[in-house]
Every structure is written in C-alpha cells, then in structure tokens.
Amino acid sequence: MDDRARVRPVLTPAQERDQAILDAAAARRAAGEKVRALRGADGVLRIYTKAEAGPAWTRSTSSRAVFALSGQLVLFAIISALLALMVAMVVGTASSDPGAAIVGIVVVGAVWIASVVVLIRSLVAARLRRRRGLPAPLPHSDHL
C-alpha cells in the first residue's frame, strides 16, 4: 500500500468554475439531456442545449464553416443569386438539350436548401440564446 499523501493540483478560481460547469454538464448528459459545455463569445464556459448552440453544436474539424449569422446571410444571398442566374439561363436559352444546366440547378438547389436549414437553425438558436441571456458559443470550443 502507498502511504504517501495524494497531491491534488491547485486550481485557479476560473479552473474551479470550469470544472463545476463540466460536472454539471456531465450530470445533465447522464440524465439524458442533449447538452454540451461550450465557451461563449466572452470566453466563459457555459452549458448550451443543442437548439441554443445552433451550428456551433456540430464538430467540423478539417473544413471551414460559417458560424456567424451575418456570414450565413451573405452565403445564403450568394447561393440564391447563383440559383436564380442558373434558372434564368435555362429559361432564357431555347436549346433542345439543357441537361447540363438542369444538373447544375439541382446541385445548387440542394446547397440552397441546406443553407436555408442552417440559417433557420441559426435564427432559432439566436432567439433562444437571447431569451436566456447567453452569448453566441464559439465554434470548436466544446469540452463535453
């Protein structure tokens, strides 16, 4: 048997607070809730539900992602303009074989639908966070 006293690391107050948040999040996850501990825009660790976190809930490691609501609105506008341009090209040309353009419209349409879903999730998340007074979570800041 080891009779030496166990040495506990000395935690700073911020580390103690973070550990308490992590413990609370682990307890809520054990109870079946879908929560994750994320750092807010102010750098403080908080517990967010999946709906409150929005796109920051997903873990994208190697790809670039647009998390800010303003960036998502700009991306949506660009994709909408591209889709409208492609539809106008197909409608405007009276060629007998618009097959390649139709494939492009289907692909851009699928991307447009995906951007609409992400934008709606972001708007709902922003509204839920505003109700609770939470800042937007930082992407890639999850601890649990």
Side-chain angles (χ1 to χ4, degrees), residues 10-120:
V10 178
L11 299 176
T12 64
Q15 290 172 331
E16 286 179 2
R17 182 182 185 288
D18 286 353
Q19 189 59 49
I21 294 292
L22 289 172
D23 293 341
R28 287 177 66 179
R29 286 180 64 92
E33 289 185 62
K34 292 193 178 226
V35 295
R36 187 171 289 158
L38 298 166
R39 292 212 180 269
D42 55 359
V44 177
L45 192 65
R46 292 186 174 85
I47 299 174
Y48 290 88
T49 63
K50 186 173 184 176
E52 291 169 343
W57 182 270
T58 58
R59 298 175 181 169
S60 58
T61 55
S62 63
S63 63
R64 299 213 182 262
V66 178
F67 289 105
L69 186 58
S70 59
Q72 289 175 5
L73 287 170
V74 169
L75 187 62
F76 175 74
I78 291 170
I79 293 171
S80 297
L82 182 62
L83 182 62
L85 178 66
M86 292 182 81
V87 169
M89 284 175 39
V90 168
V91 171
T93 58
S95 81
S96 61
D97 188 26
I102 295 295
V103 170
I105 288 175
V106 169
V107 170
V108 173
V111 171
W112 184 83
I113 289 171
S115 68
V116 167
V117 169
V118 169
L119 187 60
I120 289 171

